Amino acid sequence: MVYMIVNPASKSGHGLEMWKELETCLIRENTDYKASLSEGPGDITRIVHELCENELSPDSSSVLRIIVLGGDGTFNEVLQGITDFDRVEIGYIPTGSSNDLARDLCIKGEASSLLSNILACRKPSLMDLGYLTYHDSADEHSRLHEETVSNSRYFAVSCGIGYDAAICEEALSSRFKNVLNRLGLGKLTYLTIALKQLILTKRGNCTITLDNRKPFELKSFLFIATMIHRFEGGGFMFCPDADAQDGRFNLCAVGPIAKLQILFALPSAMRGQHYRYPHIYPYAGTTVHIEADHPFWVHTDGEVSRKSSSITIECLQKKIHLLK
């Protein structure tokens, strides 16, 4: 049995069309499946949690096979519902606007071919998993958040605090995103919001602690991206050396860089060449603790629920079992 988790709204509604095509493939191949379609924020997490509770019996060694049809955000919601990562295998068919996870894993091609590869896979690839803990929370929540806001979240691609998270928070509720996505111009949404947030995002000072090393200060920081994979934000290679199996994070920390320089540095990040600019620093570690002087938006795989000034991020090595 495979369980299909579908975000019908992904790719501005094209996710539903793709699912109908894939369902035809499943029926033609006599594949035993059950499908669940999300209806709103938090729905996928609830569905996956219930699947784990019902299918993963404590007195058996059964494995739950899930195939996700959606974007990075959909994959992220699935992670929040998993109760035992060692007994869940996940296939991924990307239909999002960013698809940074698929980009780094070279998951591309026709959805039907990806489905066939997933169904035929008998030995999953292992991938690191990020775990974020909020130690405080501001009163301000995202304009598009789940009813229950947790004090922790998993992530597969990246976790960011500051400017990149502010872009994600506004994009999640943008009225123009769906329109531009239908026209194949979805990246214009992020470009417009990025320019706006470059002006609006308030900077601050913070201390960063990597593993058990001595804390250090980053003044007037714009954002800090803590990454498992190389890409975030629709193809920005903020951490060219990131390896999803090495049990550690790579960080891109942007300090007091001038706004005009950011306009040049960001395009160069598409090729991973942004570290030639001043005040952009690479770091690495298995555990990251950030203490800021005021709350900032925080994202996990582009999903934003709250602001925080104190977070800890841990790398759980090779916890995701990926079918591809």
Side-chain angles (χ1 to χ4, degrees):
M1 174 73 74
V2 294
Y3 294 89
M4 304 294 301
I5 305 297
V6 181
N7 180 0
S10 63
K11 218 162 190 176
S12 302
H14 291 307
L16 181 59
E17 297 174 14
M18 293 182 67
W19 160 238
K20 290 178 179 178
E21 295 175 8
L22 292 180
E23 187 173 32
T24 301
C25 296
L26 290 167
I27 294 171
R28 185 174 61 243
E29 298 298 325
N30 294 317
T31 302
D32 194 12
Y33 76 95
K34 289 183 180 179
S36 298
L37 277 64
S38 67
E39 298 179 356
D43 198 32
I44 288 176
T45 297
R46 177 189 59 78
I47 291 168
V48 173
H49 183 81
E50 290 177 359
L51 279 176
C52 290
E53 291 291 301
N54 295 332
E55 302 297 327
L56 298 180
S57 172
D59 55 358
S60 77
S61 57
S62 58
V63 173
L64 179 62
R65 288 169 67 93
I66 292 173
I67 300 178
V68 183
L69 184 69
D72 292 337
T74 306
F75 195 93
N76 183 270
E77 283 195 56
V78 168
L79 296 179
Q80 312 315 314
I82 295 176
T83 59
D84 186 347
F85 282 93
D86 293 329
R87 296 174 62 193
V88 176
E89 298 175 350
I90 313 174
Y92 180 45
I93 300 175
T95 62
S97 54
S98 296
N99 294 329
D100 287 305
L101 178 61
R103 179 178 287 106
D104 200 39
L105 295 173
C106 295
I107 298 176
K108 55 186 177 181
E110 293 293 327
S112 57
S113 296
L114 295 177
L115 176 63
S116 296
N117 291 340
I118 291 168
L119 293 175
C121 181
R122 292 294 174 263
K123 186 177 181 180
S125 302
L126 299 181
M127 196 167 69
D128 293 347
L129 175 69
Y131 184 70
L132 162 72
T133 302
Y134 300 93
H135 298 295
D136 68 355
S137 177
D139 293 333
E140 188 174 3
H141 288 146
S142 170
R143 283 167 278 190
L144 189 66
H145 65 275
E146 300 171 8
E147 289 185 15
T148 303
V149 179
S150 173
N151 289 323
S152 61
R153 285 190 71 88
Y154 294 109
F155 62 93
V157 178
S158 67
C159 172
I161 181 170
Y163 174 62
D164 60 341
I167 295 172
C168 294
E169 195 280 327
E170 185 170 348
L172 287 172
S173 56
S174 171
R175 293 178 300 167
F176 303 107
K177 182 180 179 181
N178 286 342
V179 175
L180 291 173
N181 277 344
R182 290 192 185 99
L183 297 173
L185 301 172
K187 289 187 182 296
L188 287 180
T189 306
Y190 292 94
L191 176 60
T192 303
I193 294 172
L195 292 173
K196 176 183 174 183
Q197 288 296 335
L198 187 58
I199 298 171
L200 296 180
T201 299
K202 183 180 178 182
R203 300 197 188 207
N205 302 327
C206 72
T207 58
I208 303 173
T209 305
L210 299 174
D211 302 329
N212 295 317
R213 288 173 264 172
K214 183 179 179 180
F216 59 92
E217 186 176 21
L218 183 63
K219 293 185 176 180
S220 189
F221 80 93
L222 186 64
F223 72 93
I224 302 166
T226 301
M227 303 184 63
I228 295 172
H229 290 269
R230 293 178 296 165
F231 302 98
E232 77 162 28
F236 288 99
M237 197 192 300
F238 285 135
C239 291
D241 296 327
D243 181 340
Q245 294 184 315
D246 65 0
R248 68 172 191 169
F249 298 116
N250 287 74
L251 276 69
C252 175
V254 181
I257 186 172
K259 291 180 179 179
L260 183 60
Q261 282 187 311
I262 279 290
L263 295 177
F264 292 96
L266 282 177
S268 72
M270 301 294 288
R271 303 181 302 279
Q273 297 175 355
H274 48 296
Y275 290 111
R276 63 187 177 183
Y277 291 90
H279 308 299
I280 302 179
Y281 311 104
Y283 299 107
T286 58
T287 302
V288 182
H289 181 70
I290 299 172
E291 288 280 345
D293 58 9
H294 67 270
F296 291 85
W297 288 118
V298 180
H299 83 82
T300 50
D301 297 339
E303 298 296 291
V304 184
S305 59
R306 65 169 68 173
K307 284 184 173 182
S308 180
S309 62
S310 179
I311 59 174
T312 297
I313 313 163
E314 303 167 74
C315 187
L316 310 178
Q317 188 173 20
K318 297 182 178 180
K319 292 297 288 184
I320 297 175
H321 295 238
L322 189 72
L323 302 166
K324 57 177 291 194

